[in-house]
Amino acid sequence: MSIGIVILAGGRGERMRMDIPKPMVSVGGKPLIDFPINEALLFLNKNNLKGGITSVTGYLHEMLDEYLKENFIENGVEMDLVLQREQLGTAHAIQMYVEQNKNAADYDYTLILCGDTPLIRERHLSKLWNILNQEKLDAVAASFLEDDPSGYGRIVEGDSGFHIVEEKDADEEIRKISEVNSGLYIVKTDFLLDNLREIDSDNKAGEFYLTDIFKDNRRVQAVLFDDPESFMGVNDVKQLEEAGLFLNFEKIDLLRNEGVRFIDSTTCYVDWDCSIGPDSVIHPNVIIRGRSRVDKNVVVESGCILTNSIVEEGGQLRPYSVLEEAHVGKNAMIGPFARLRPGADIGQESKVGNFVEIKKAVLDKGVKVSHLSYIGDAHIGENTNLGCGFITCNYDGANKNFTDIGENCFIGSDSQMIAPLKIEDDCYVGSGSTINKDLPKGSFAVSRSKQVTYKGMARKFLKKKGQ
Ligand code: UD1
Ligand code: CA
Protein backbone atom coordinates (compact mmCIF):
# COMPACT_ATOMS: atom_id res chain seq x y z
CA MET A 1 0.00 0.00 0.00
CA SER A 2 1.17 3.49 -0.72
CA ILE A 3 0.34 6.86 0.71
CA GLY A 4 0.96 10.40 -0.47
CA ILE A 5 1.54 12.84 2.36
CA VAL A 6 0.73 16.50 1.84
CA ILE A 7 1.82 19.22 4.22
CA LEU A 8 -0.20 22.39 3.78
CA ALA A 9 2.08 25.35 4.26
CA GLY A 10 0.93 27.92 1.77
CA GLY A 11 -1.27 30.12 3.90
CA ARG A 12 -0.48 33.72 4.74
CA GLY A 13 -0.59 33.19 8.49
CA GLU A 14 -1.55 36.81 8.82
CA ARG A 15 -2.59 36.51 12.44
CA MET A 16 1.09 35.96 13.32
CA ARG A 17 2.08 39.42 12.05
CA MET A 18 5.55 38.28 11.05
CA ASP A 19 7.50 38.85 7.88
CA ILE A 20 8.59 35.26 7.42
CA PRO A 21 6.31 32.46 6.26
CA LYS A 22 4.50 31.02 9.27
CA PRO A 23 5.83 27.47 8.77
CA MET A 24 9.35 28.86 9.35
CA VAL A 25 8.55 30.45 12.69
CA SER A 26 10.52 28.68 15.37
CA VAL A 27 9.05 26.67 18.22
CA GLY A 28 11.06 24.33 20.44
CA GLY A 29 14.18 25.46 18.63
CA LYS A 30 13.14 24.76 15.05
CA PRO A 31 10.66 25.84 12.40
CA LEU A 32 7.05 24.76 12.82
CA ILE A 33 7.10 22.79 9.59
CA ASP A 34 9.89 20.49 10.77
CA PHE A 35 7.47 18.78 13.12
CA PRO A 36 4.88 17.48 10.63
CA ILE A 37 7.66 16.47 8.23
CA ASN A 38 9.53 14.47 10.85
CA GLU A 39 6.39 12.81 12.19
CA ALA A 40 5.29 11.92 8.65
CA LEU A 41 8.66 10.25 8.05
CA LEU A 42 8.33 8.30 11.31
CA PHE A 43 4.81 7.27 10.31
CA LEU A 44 5.92 5.90 6.92
CA ASN A 45 8.74 4.02 8.55
CA LYS A 46 6.73 2.59 11.43
CA ASN A 47 3.91 1.33 9.20
CA ASN A 48 6.21 0.15 6.50
CA LEU A 49 4.42 2.24 3.91
CA LYS A 50 5.68 3.42 0.57
CA GLY A 51 5.02 7.07 0.11
CA GLY A 52 6.21 10.51 -0.70
CA ILE A 53 5.96 13.83 1.07
CA THR A 54 4.87 17.01 -0.66
CA SER A 55 4.90 20.47 0.84
CA VAL A 56 2.49 22.94 -0.64
CA THR A 57 4.00 26.40 -0.30
CA GLY A 58 2.63 29.74 -1.37
CA TYR A 59 3.01 32.87 0.70
CA LEU A 60 6.72 33.89 0.62
CA HIS A 61 7.38 30.51 -0.95
CA GLU A 62 10.92 31.35 -2.15
CA MET A 63 12.12 31.55 1.43
CA LEU A 64 10.28 28.44 2.54
CA ASP A 65 11.27 26.40 -0.54
CA GLU A 66 14.91 27.25 0.02
CA TYR A 67 14.69 26.24 3.65
CA LEU A 68 13.07 22.91 2.75
CA LYS A 69 15.64 22.23 0.04
CA GLU A 70 18.61 22.94 2.28
CA ASN A 71 17.36 21.16 5.35
CA PHE A 72 15.43 18.21 4.01
CA ILE A 73 15.80 17.55 0.29
CA GLU A 74 19.58 18.01 0.26
CA ASN A 75 19.78 15.79 3.35
CA GLY A 76 18.19 12.91 1.50
CA VAL A 77 14.53 13.38 2.44
CA GLU A 78 12.36 12.67 -0.57
CA MET A 79 10.09 15.65 -0.80
CA ASP A 80 8.33 17.43 -3.61
CA LEU A 81 7.49 21.09 -3.53
CA VAL A 82 4.27 22.33 -5.03
CA LEU A 83 3.45 25.98 -5.50
CA GLN A 84 0.08 27.44 -4.67
CA ARG A 85 0.42 30.86 -6.19
CA GLU A 86 -2.77 32.28 -4.76
CA GLN A 87 -4.07 31.18 -1.39
CA LEU A 88 -7.64 30.33 -2.26
CA GLY A 89 -8.14 27.84 0.56
CA THR A 90 -7.10 24.42 1.77
CA ALA A 91 -9.00 22.55 -0.98
CA HIS A 92 -7.33 24.73 -3.58
CA ALA A 93 -3.95 23.85 -2.05
CA ILE A 94 -4.76 20.14 -2.48
CA GLN A 95 -5.94 20.84 -6.01
CA MET A 96 -2.50 22.34 -6.77
CA TYR A 97 -0.88 19.21 -5.33
CA VAL A 98 -3.00 16.95 -7.51
CA GLU A 99 -2.22 19.04 -10.60
CA GLN A 100 1.49 19.49 -10.05
CA ASN A 101 2.61 16.21 -8.50
CA LYS A 102 2.25 13.55 -11.16
CA ASN A 103 2.34 10.76 -8.57
CA ALA A 104 -0.49 12.23 -6.51
CA ALA A 105 -3.27 10.15 -8.10
CA ASP A 106 -1.26 6.91 -7.93
CA TYR A 107 -1.01 6.67 -4.18
CA ASP A 108 -3.73 4.47 -2.65
CA TYR A 109 -4.21 6.91 0.21
CA THR A 110 -3.51 10.57 0.92
CA LEU A 111 -2.59 11.91 4.34
CA ILE A 112 -3.00 15.63 4.88
CA LEU A 113 -1.28 17.59 7.64
CA CYS A 114 -1.10 21.30 8.34
CA GLY A 115 2.23 23.04 8.60
CA ASP A 116 1.07 24.83 11.73
CA THR A 117 0.29 21.88 14.05
CA PRO A 118 3.65 21.04 15.66
CA LEU A 119 2.33 18.82 18.46
CA ILE A 120 0.83 16.05 16.33
CA ARG A 121 2.88 12.87 16.65
CA GLU A 122 3.41 9.68 14.70
CA ARG A 123 1.16 7.84 17.20
CA HIS A 124 -1.79 10.03 16.18
CA LEU A 125 -1.16 9.37 12.48
CA SER A 126 -0.84 5.64 13.10
CA LYS A 127 -4.04 5.49 15.18
CA LEU A 128 -5.96 7.30 12.46
CA TRP A 129 -4.48 4.98 9.85
CA ASN A 130 -5.48 1.89 11.82
CA ILE A 131 -9.06 3.06 12.31
CA LEU A 132 -9.42 3.93 8.63
CA ASN A 133 -8.34 0.41 7.72
CA GLN A 134 -10.19 -1.49 10.44
CA GLU A 135 -13.50 0.29 9.80
CA LYS A 136 -12.98 0.21 6.03
CA LEU A 137 -13.68 3.93 5.71
CA ASP A 138 -13.09 6.28 2.81
CA ALA A 139 -11.84 9.14 4.92
CA VAL A 140 -11.08 10.05 8.53
CA ALA A 141 -10.47 13.37 10.22
CA ALA A 142 -8.86 13.71 13.66
CA SER A 143 -11.01 15.71 16.04
CA PHE A 144 -10.78 16.84 19.64
CA LEU A 145 -12.85 18.65 22.26
CA GLU A 146 -12.05 22.28 22.87
CA ASP A 147 -13.51 24.42 25.69
CA ASP A 148 -13.00 27.50 23.56
CA PRO A 149 -13.61 26.17 20.05
CA SER A 150 -13.52 29.58 18.37
CA GLY A 151 -11.50 29.61 15.17
CA TYR A 152 -11.84 25.89 14.55
CA GLY A 153 -14.17 24.06 12.19
CA ARG A 154 -16.94 22.27 14.10
CA ILE A 155 -17.69 18.59 13.65
CA VAL A 156 -21.40 18.10 12.90
CA GLU A 157 -22.34 14.43 13.15
CA GLY A 158 -24.84 12.97 10.71
CA ASP A 159 -26.85 9.72 11.13
CA SER A 160 -23.80 8.26 9.57
CA GLY A 161 -20.83 10.25 8.42
CA PHE A 162 -20.35 13.89 9.39
CA HIS A 163 -19.61 17.29 7.96
CA ILE A 164 -17.56 20.26 9.08
CA VAL A 165 -18.78 23.83 9.45
CA GLU A 166 -16.14 26.56 9.66
CA GLU A 167 -16.43 29.16 12.39
CA LYS A 168 -17.36 31.92 9.95
CA ASP A 169 -20.22 29.93 8.49
CA ALA A 170 -21.55 28.52 11.75
CA ASP A 171 -24.83 29.65 13.33
CA GLU A 172 -25.13 30.02 17.08
CA GLU A 173 -26.13 26.38 17.66
CA ILE A 174 -23.24 25.02 15.66
CA ARG A 175 -20.78 27.38 17.34
CA LYS A 176 -21.65 25.71 20.63
CA ILE A 177 -20.30 22.37 19.40
CA SER A 178 -17.06 21.71 21.17
CA GLU A 179 -15.83 18.86 18.95
CA VAL A 180 -13.54 20.51 16.42
CA ASN A 181 -11.57 19.57 13.35
CA SER A 182 -7.80 19.28 13.79
CA GLY A 183 -6.90 19.60 10.10
CA LEU A 184 -5.36 16.11 10.04
CA TYR A 185 -6.97 13.72 7.56
CA ILE A 186 -6.35 10.40 5.86
CA VAL A 187 -8.38 9.82 2.74
CA LYS A 188 -8.58 7.19 0.02
CA THR A 189 -7.11 9.00 -2.95
CA ASP A 190 -10.01 8.08 -5.26
CA PHE A 191 -12.47 9.49 -2.75
CA LEU A 192 -10.40 12.67 -2.45
CA LEU A 193 -10.25 13.21 -6.19
CA ASP A 194 -13.99 12.58 -6.67
CA ASN A 195 -14.96 15.01 -3.92
CA LEU A 196 -12.39 17.68 -4.63
CA ARG A 197 -14.06 18.37 -7.97
CA GLU A 198 -17.33 19.31 -6.30
CA ILE A 199 -15.92 21.86 -3.87
CA ASP A 200 -16.83 25.49 -4.45
CA SER A 201 -16.05 28.70 -2.61
CA ASP A 202 -19.66 29.47 -1.76
CA ASN A 203 -19.05 30.38 1.89
CA LYS A 204 -18.39 33.43 4.05
CA ALA A 205 -14.66 33.34 3.50
CA GLY A 206 -15.00 32.82 -0.26
CA GLU A 207 -12.39 30.04 0.07
CA PHE A 208 -12.26 26.50 -1.21
CA TYR A 209 -12.54 24.48 1.99
CA LEU A 210 -10.98 21.05 2.05
CA THR A 211 -13.28 20.28 4.94
CA ASP A 212 -16.13 20.05 2.41
CA ILE A 213 -14.97 16.60 1.31
CA PHE A 214 -16.62 15.27 4.47
CA LYS A 215 -20.34 14.68 4.15
CA ASP A 216 -23.14 13.01 6.01
CA ASN A 217 -24.14 9.51 4.93
CA ARG A 218 -20.69 8.70 3.57
CA ARG A 219 -18.13 6.24 4.85
CA VAL A 220 -16.32 9.00 6.69
CA GLN A 221 -15.62 9.35 10.41
CA ALA A 222 -14.33 11.98 12.79
CA VAL A 223 -11.96 10.20 15.18
CA LEU A 224 -12.05 11.89 18.55
CA PHE A 225 -8.68 12.05 20.31
CA ASP A 226 -8.48 12.60 24.05
CA ASP A 227 -5.33 14.76 24.11
CA PRO A 228 -6.57 18.05 22.66
CA GLU A 229 -3.29 19.87 23.39
CA SER A 230 -1.57 17.73 20.74
CA PHE A 231 -3.74 19.15 17.99
CA MET A 232 -3.55 22.85 18.63
CA GLY A 233 -2.88 24.97 15.59
CA VAL A 234 -0.51 27.91 15.78
CA ASN A 235 -2.29 30.90 14.31
CA ASP A 236 -1.13 33.77 16.50
CA VAL A 237 1.72 34.57 18.86
CA LYS A 238 -0.24 33.47 21.91
CA GLN A 239 -0.76 30.01 20.42
CA LEU A 240 2.91 29.99 19.44
CA GLU A 241 3.88 30.54 23.06
CA GLU A 242 1.42 27.89 24.23
CA ALA A 243 2.70 25.39 21.70
CA GLY A 244 6.26 26.11 22.85
CA LEU A 245 5.32 25.43 26.45
CA PHE A 246 3.55 22.17 25.59
CA LEU A 247 6.50 21.10 23.51
CA ASN A 248 8.86 21.81 26.41
CA PHE A 249 6.63 19.86 28.76
CA GLU A 250 6.57 16.92 26.36
CA LYS A 251 10.33 17.06 25.87
CA ILE A 252 11.06 17.14 29.59
CA ASP A 253 8.73 14.19 30.12
CA LEU A 254 10.60 12.19 27.48
CA LEU A 255 13.91 13.04 29.13
CA ARG A 256 12.64 12.08 32.58
CA ASN A 257 11.62 8.71 31.21
CA GLU A 258 15.20 8.31 30.04
CA GLY A 259 16.48 8.96 33.56
CA VAL A 260 17.30 12.66 33.48
CA ARG A 261 16.69 14.37 36.82
CA PHE A 262 15.29 17.87 37.00
CA ILE A 263 15.20 19.72 40.31
CA ASP A 264 12.40 21.98 39.04
CA SER A 265 11.60 21.39 35.41
CA THR A 266 8.98 24.14 35.35
CA THR A 267 11.86 26.63 35.13
CA CYS A 268 13.87 24.78 32.48
CA TYR A 269 13.61 24.92 28.69
CA VAL A 270 14.98 22.19 26.49
CA ASP A 271 14.67 22.43 22.71
CA TRP A 272 13.17 19.48 20.87
CA ASP A 273 16.38 18.34 19.16
CA CYS A 274 18.55 18.35 22.28
CA SER A 275 19.53 15.18 24.06
CA ILE A 276 20.47 14.57 27.68
CA GLY A 277 21.90 11.30 28.99
CA PRO A 278 20.67 9.31 31.99
CA ASP A 279 21.74 10.22 35.49
CA SER A 280 22.34 13.79 34.52
CA VAL A 281 20.97 16.42 36.88
CA ILE A 282 19.53 19.67 35.62
CA HIS A 283 19.15 22.39 38.22
CA PRO A 284 16.49 25.13 38.06
CA ASN A 285 16.63 27.90 35.45
CA VAL A 286 18.58 26.08 32.80
CA ILE A 287 18.08 26.58 29.06
CA ILE A 288 19.36 23.98 26.60
CA ARG A 289 18.93 25.02 23.00
CA GLY A 290 19.34 24.03 19.38
CA ARG A 291 20.96 20.64 18.93
CA SER A 292 22.87 20.49 22.16
CA ARG A 293 24.00 17.10 23.44
CA VAL A 294 24.52 16.52 27.12
CA ASP A 295 25.84 13.05 27.86
CA LYS A 296 25.22 10.92 30.93
CA ASN A 297 26.19 11.88 34.46
CA VAL A 298 26.50 15.55 33.74
CA VAL A 299 25.50 18.21 36.25
CA VAL A 300 24.13 21.46 34.86
CA GLU A 301 23.70 24.00 37.62
CA SER A 302 21.35 26.97 37.75
CA GLY A 303 21.48 29.73 35.21
CA CYS A 304 23.41 27.84 32.55
CA ILE A 305 22.49 28.42 28.90
CA LEU A 306 23.72 25.95 26.29
CA THR A 307 23.29 26.51 22.58
CA ASN A 308 24.34 23.86 20.06
CA SER A 309 26.96 22.59 22.47
CA ILE A 310 28.20 19.20 23.59
CA VAL A 311 29.01 18.23 27.16
CA GLU A 312 30.52 14.80 27.53
CA GLU A 313 29.99 12.29 30.31
CA GLY A 314 30.76 13.47 33.82
CA GLY A 315 31.06 17.13 32.87
CA GLN A 316 30.06 19.75 35.39
CA LEU A 317 28.65 23.09 34.43
CA ARG A 318 28.63 25.27 37.51
CA PRO A 319 26.14 28.14 37.82
CA TYR A 320 25.68 30.80 35.16
CA SER A 321 27.93 29.35 32.51
CA VAL A 322 27.05 30.19 28.94
CA LEU A 323 28.05 27.81 26.15
CA GLU A 324 27.61 28.46 22.45
CA GLU A 325 28.82 25.91 19.88
CA ALA A 326 31.25 24.68 22.48
CA HIS A 327 32.52 21.22 23.31
CA VAL A 328 33.30 20.11 26.83
CA GLY A 329 35.22 16.84 27.26
CA LYS A 330 34.69 14.11 29.87
CA ASN A 331 34.76 15.15 33.51
CA ALA A 332 35.70 18.71 32.70
CA MET A 333 34.53 21.42 35.08
CA ILE A 334 33.23 24.73 33.78
CA GLY A 335 32.28 27.87 35.69
CA PRO A 336 30.70 29.39 37.66
CA PHE A 337 30.32 32.36 35.32
CA ALA A 338 32.32 30.96 32.42
CA ARG A 339 31.66 31.87 28.81
CA LEU A 340 32.49 29.36 26.10
CA ARG A 341 32.04 30.86 22.65
CA PRO A 342 31.98 29.08 19.29
CA GLY A 343 34.93 26.78 18.79
CA ALA A 344 35.80 26.45 22.46
CA ASP A 345 36.93 22.85 22.82
CA ILE A 346 37.70 21.93 26.40
CA GLY A 347 39.65 18.71 26.96
CA GLN A 348 38.73 16.03 29.42
CA GLU A 349 39.38 16.78 33.09
CA SER A 350 40.19 20.38 32.27
CA LYS A 351 39.04 23.17 34.50
CA VAL A 352 37.70 26.49 33.29
CA GLY A 353 36.88 28.72 36.23
CA ASN A 354 35.02 31.93 36.90
CA PHE A 355 35.09 34.86 34.54
CA VAL A 356 36.94 33.01 31.85
CA GLU A 357 36.05 33.56 28.18
CA ILE A 358 37.17 31.09 25.57
CA LYS A 359 36.70 31.38 21.82
CA LYS A 360 38.00 29.17 18.98
CA ALA A 361 40.54 27.50 21.18
CA VAL A 362 41.44 23.90 21.93
CA LEU A 363 42.43 23.06 25.47
CA ASP A 364 43.91 19.59 25.74
CA LYS A 365 43.38 17.21 28.64
CA GLY A 366 43.89 18.52 32.16
CA VAL A 367 44.41 22.20 31.34
CA LYS A 368 43.61 24.60 34.15
CA VAL A 369 42.49 28.14 33.57
CA SER A 370 40.77 28.98 36.78
CA HIS A 371 40.23 32.71 36.97
CA LEU A 372 39.62 35.85 34.90
CA SER A 373 41.11 34.99 31.51
CA TYR A 374 40.54 35.42 27.81
CA ILE A 375 41.71 32.72 25.44
CA GLY A 376 40.99 33.18 21.75
CA ASP A 377 42.49 31.52 18.65
CA ALA A 378 44.74 29.23 20.63
CA HIS A 379 45.83 25.73 21.45
CA ILE A 380 46.85 24.85 24.99
CA GLY A 381 48.70 21.56 25.53
CA GLU A 382 48.00 18.89 28.15
CA ASN A 383 48.28 19.76 31.83
CA THR A 384 49.31 23.34 31.23
CA ASN A 385 48.30 25.76 33.98
CA LEU A 386 47.29 29.27 33.03
CA GLY A 387 47.38 31.66 35.97
CA CYS A 388 44.79 34.22 36.97
CA GLY A 389 44.30 37.01 34.48
CA PHE A 390 46.08 35.29 31.58
CA ILE A 391 45.21 36.79 28.18
CA THR A 392 45.90 35.88 24.58
CA CYS A 393 46.29 39.12 22.60
CA ASN A 394 44.93 37.52 19.46
CA TYR A 395 43.77 40.58 17.54
CA ASP A 396 46.19 43.22 16.31
CA GLY A 397 43.51 45.49 14.97
CA ALA A 398 43.57 43.89 11.53
CA ASN A 399 44.09 40.15 11.90
CA LYS A 400 43.38 37.35 14.32
CA ASN A 401 46.60 35.57 15.27
CA PHE A 402 47.21 32.19 16.82
CA THR A 403 48.81 31.31 20.14
CA ASP A 404 50.15 27.79 20.51
CA ILE A 405 51.22 26.73 24.00
CA GLY A 406 52.71 23.29 24.60
CA GLU A 407 52.08 20.80 27.38
CA ASN A 408 53.10 20.95 31.03
CA CYS A 409 53.70 24.69 30.94
CA PHE A 410 53.14 27.04 33.86
CA ILE A 411 52.10 30.52 32.82
CA GLY A 412 52.16 32.94 35.73
CA SER A 413 49.28 35.21 36.64
CA ASP A 414 48.64 38.42 34.75
CA SER A 415 50.59 37.36 31.68
CA GLN A 416 49.76 38.26 28.12
CA MET A 417 50.78 36.44 24.97
CA ILE A 418 51.02 38.66 21.93
CA ALA A 419 50.09 36.40 19.03
CA PRO A 420 51.30 34.93 16.74
CA LEU A 421 53.32 32.99 19.21
CA LYS A 422 54.60 29.50 19.92
CA ILE A 423 55.50 28.39 23.41
CA GLU A 424 56.99 24.91 23.40
CA ASP A 425 56.48 22.23 26.06
CA ASP A 426 57.62 22.57 29.68
CA CYS A 427 58.02 26.35 29.70
CA TYR A 428 57.63 28.59 32.72
CA VAL A 429 56.56 32.20 32.38
CA GLY A 430 56.92 34.50 35.38
CA SER A 431 53.89 36.46 36.58
CA GLY A 432 53.14 39.78 34.98
CA SER A 433 54.98 39.01 31.74
CA THR A 434 54.15 40.27 28.30
CA ILE A 435 55.49 37.62 25.95
CA ASN A 436 55.97 38.41 22.27
CA LYS A 437 58.79 36.05 21.26
CA ASP A 438 58.53 32.30 20.83
CA LEU A 439 59.89 30.14 23.65
CA PRO A 440 61.86 26.96 22.97
CA LYS A 441 61.12 23.83 25.00
CA GLY A 442 61.87 24.08 28.69
CA SER A 443 62.48 27.85 28.73
CA PHE A 444 61.92 30.21 31.60
CA ALA A 445 60.80 33.69 30.56
CA VAL A 446 59.96 36.79 32.48
CA SER A 447 59.42 40.27 31.10
CA ARG A 448 58.63 42.96 33.56
CA SER A 449 60.43 46.12 34.60
CA LYS A 450 62.81 45.94 37.55
CA GLN A 451 61.29 46.77 40.93
CA VAL A 452 62.58 49.79 42.81
CA THR A 453 62.14 50.14 46.59
CA TYR A 454 62.75 53.30 48.62
CA LYS A 455 62.54 52.72 52.31
CA GLY A 456 60.23 55.08 54.21
CA MET A 457 59.11 56.95 51.13
CA ALA A 458 55.49 55.78 51.39
CA ARG A 459 54.93 58.60 53.86
CA LYS A 460 55.23 61.07 51.01
CA PHE A 461 52.25 59.57 49.20
CA LEU A 462 50.07 58.50 52.11
CA LYS A 463 48.71 61.76 53.39
CA LYS A 464 47.09 61.20 56.78
CA LYS A 465 43.90 63.01 57.64
CA GLY A 466 44.49 66.34 59.40
CA GLN A 467 48.09 66.71 58.20
C1 UD1 B 1 -8.32 24.81 9.28
C2 UD1 B 1 -9.62 24.04 9.00
C3 UD1 B 1 -10.43 23.99 10.28
C4 UD1 B 1 -9.61 23.37 11.40
C5 UD1 B 1 -8.27 24.08 11.57
C6 UD1 B 1 -7.39 23.28 12.50
C7 UD1 B 1 -10.22 24.47 6.65
C8 UD1 B 1 -11.15 25.19 5.76
N1 UD1 B 1 -10.39 24.68 7.95
O1 UD1 B 1 -8.70 26.13 9.62
O2 UD1 B 1 -11.60 23.23 10.08
O3 UD1 B 1 -10.34 23.40 12.61
O4 UD1 B 1 -7.59 24.17 10.30
O5 UD1 B 1 -6.20 23.94 12.83
O6 UD1 B 1 -9.40 23.70 6.20
N2 UD1 B 1 -3.15 26.72 3.71
C9 UD1 B 1 -2.61 26.62 2.44
N3 UD1 B 1 -3.26 27.29 1.41
C10 UD1 B 1 -4.37 28.01 1.61
C11 UD1 B 1 -4.91 28.09 2.92
C12 UD1 B 1 -4.27 27.42 3.94
O7 UD1 B 1 -1.61 25.97 2.22
O8 UD1 B 1 -4.88 28.56 0.62
C13 UD1 B 1 -2.46 26.00 4.80
C14 UD1 B 1 -1.98 26.93 5.91
O9 UD1 B 1 -0.65 27.34 5.67
C15 UD1 B 1 -2.09 26.06 7.14
C16 UD1 B 1 -3.20 25.09 6.80
O10 UD1 B 1 -3.37 25.13 5.40
O11 UD1 B 1 -0.92 25.32 7.38
C17 UD1 B 1 -4.49 25.46 7.50
O12 UD1 B 1 -4.87 26.76 7.09
P1 UD1 B 1 -5.41 27.84 8.10
O13 UD1 B 1 -5.68 29.08 7.35
O14 UD1 B 1 -4.51 27.93 9.29
O15 UD1 B 1 -6.80 27.18 8.47
P2 UD1 B 1 -7.66 27.37 9.76
O16 UD1 B 1 -8.46 28.61 9.64
O17 UD1 B 1 -6.81 27.21 10.96
CA1 CA C 1 -4.52 26.92 11.34
Side-chain angles (χ1 to χ4, degrees), residues 15 22 116 233-235:
R15 283 167 282 177
K22 180 166 81 172
D116 64 353
V234 174
N235 298 300

Side-chain angles (χ1 to χ4, degrees), residues 413-430:
S413 295
D414 189 31
S415 294
Q416 306 89 49
M417 303 261 159
I418 302 183
L421 204 58
K422 183 163 175 62
I423 309 296
E424 290 185 21
D425 297 347
D426 307 311
C427 285
Y428 191 113
V429 171

Side-chain angles (χ1 to χ4, degrees), residues 7-13 15 22-23 56-58 84 86-94 113-117 144 151-154 164-167 180-185 207-212 231-235:
I7 296 173
L8 297 180
R12 282 187 61 95
R15 283 167 282 177
K22 180 166 81 172
V56 180
T57 64
Q84 183 195 21
E86 266 182 296
Q87 284 69 60
L88 304 179
T90 41
H92 178 253
I94 294 296
L113 270 162
C114 292
D116 64 353
T117 51
F144 59 100
Y152 290 104
R154 308 297 201 279
I164 298 175
V165 180
E166 289 303 307
E167 167 98 6
V180 298
N181 169 32
S182 70
L184 163 63
Y185 322 105
E207 285 184 12
F208 294 89
Y209 290 159
L210 181 59
T211 44
D212 288 348
F231 293 91
M232 71 172 294
V234 174
N235 298 300

Side-chain angles (χ1 to χ4, degrees), residues 88-89 164-172 174-175 200-209 211-212:
L88 304 179
I164 298 175
V165 180
E166 289 303 307
E167 167 98 6
K168 281 185 182 161
D169 305 298
D171 60 27
E172 225 164 286
I174 287 181
R175 284 191 187 194
D200 58 31
S201 58
D202 188 11
N203 53 54
K204 289 264 167 62
E207 285 184 12
F208 294 89
Y209 290 159
T211 44
D212 288 348

Side-chain angles (χ1 to χ4, degrees), residues 119 143-155 167 174-182 224-233 235 238-239 242 246:
L119 302 168
S143 69
F144 59 100
L145 297 174
E146 181 62 69
D147 293 338
D148 172 15
S150 57
Y152 290 104
R154 308 297 201 279
I155 302 289
E167 167 98 6
I174 287 181
R175 284 191 187 194
K176 284 186 195 145
I177 297 174
S178 56
E179 184 177 354
V180 298
N181 169 32
S182 70
L224 183 63
F225 283 80
D226 59 9
D227 52 343
E229 61 283 355
S230 301
F231 293 91
M232 71 172 294
N235 298 300
K238 181 163 183 268
Q239 287 173 330
E242 273 167 19
F246 276 124

Side-chain angles (χ1 to χ4, degrees), residues 4-279:
I5 298 182
V6 192
I7 296 173
L8 297 180
R12 282 187 61 95
E14 46 200 328
R15 283 167 282 177
M16 297 293 284
R17 300 175 187 281
M18 293 184 183
D19 49 12
I20 57 171
K22 180 166 81 172
M24 283 181 73
V25 172
S26 197
V27 69
K30 56 181 185 175
L32 282 168
I33 195 165
D34 282 33
F35 292 91
I37 296 174
N38 287 331
E39 299 303 321
L41 289 168
L42 288 171
F43 167 77
L44 288 175
N45 196 18
K46 175 111 185 255
N47 295 283
N48 231 333
L49 287 163
K50 277 204 300 273
I53 298 181
T54 302
S55 293
V56 180
T57 64
Y59 179 65
L60 297 177
H61 72 94
E62 295 89 349
M63 216 193 278
L64 184 52
D65 289 352
E66 193 180 308
Y67 170 77
L68 293 171
K69 273 183 203 148
E70 269 178 23
N71 290 276
F72 290 95
I73 298 170
E74 284 166 15
N75 283 335
V77 174
E78 274 184 47
M79 194 194 309
D80 293 301
L81 300 177
V82 156
L83 175 61
Q84 183 195 21
R85 225 171 257 289
E86 266 182 296
Q87 284 69 60
L88 304 179
T90 41
H92 178 253
I94 294 296
Q95 189 64 47
M96 295 300 105
Y97 158 69
V98 172
E99 283 175 18
Q100 292 175 43
N101 187 325
K102 34 183 199 323
N103 300 321
D106 298 335
Y107 294 116
D108 302 315
Y109 294 86
T110 304
L111 185 155
I112 297 158
L113 270 162
C114 292
D116 64 353
T117 51
L119 302 168
I120 291 177
R121 296 285 162 263
E122 169 278 316
R123 66 172 188 279
H124 301 112
L125 309 185
S126 291
K127 183 174 170 189
L128 210 53
W129 173 244
N130 289 334
I131 290 175
L132 178 82
N133 284 300
Q134 278 158 17
E135 315 267 320
K136 300 195 164 49
L137 297 162
D138 286 333
V140 281
S143 69
F144 59 100
L145 297 174
E146 181 62 69
D147 293 338
D148 172 15
S150 57
Y152 290 104
R154 308 297 201 279
I155 302 289
V156 184
E157 297 285 350
D159 293 335
S160 73
F162 72 101
H163 65 279
I164 298 175
V165 180
E166 289 303 307
E167 167 98 6
K168 281 185 182 161
D169 305 298
D171 60 27
E172 225 164 286
E173 274 316 292
I174 287 181
R175 284 191 187 194
K176 284 186 195 145
I177 297 174
S178 56
E179 184 177 354
V180 298
N181 169 32
S182 70
L184 163 63
Y185 322 105
I186 308 180
V187 190
K188 273 192 179 155
T189 302
D190 291 342
F191 178 89
L192 176 68
L193 297 178
D194 285 347
N195 285 280
L196 208 52
R197 280 186 211 111
E198 293 170 22
I199 294 178
D200 58 31
S201 58
D202 188 11
N203 53 54
K204 289 264 167 62
E207 285 184 12
F208 294 89
Y209 290 159
L210 181 59
T211 44
D212 288 348
I213 62 170
F214 299 99
K215 294 184 184 114
D216 295 357
N217 307 314
R218 300 285 175 91
R219 300 163 66 82
V220 298
Q221 191 179 311
V223 176
L224 183 63
F225 283 80
D226 59 9
D227 52 343
E229 61 283 355
S230 301
F231 293 91
M232 71 172 294
V234 174
N235 298 300
D236 56 32
V237 289
K238 181 163 183 268
Q239 287 173 330
L240 181 68
E241 182 181 337
E242 273 167 19
L245 291 172
F246 276 124
L247 211 52
N248 191 50
F249 191 75
E250 188 183 351
K251 178 71 187 180
I252 282 172
D253 221 39
L254 289 169
L255 291 169
R256 271 200 215 99
N257 290 336
E258 288 165 12
V260 179
R261 277 179 287 159
F262 288 87
I263 307 293
D264 178 2
S265 64
T266 60
T267 65
C268 294
Y269 300 90
V270 185
D271 278 350
W272 191 251
D273 283 341
C274 294
S275 65
I276 306 180
D279 253 352

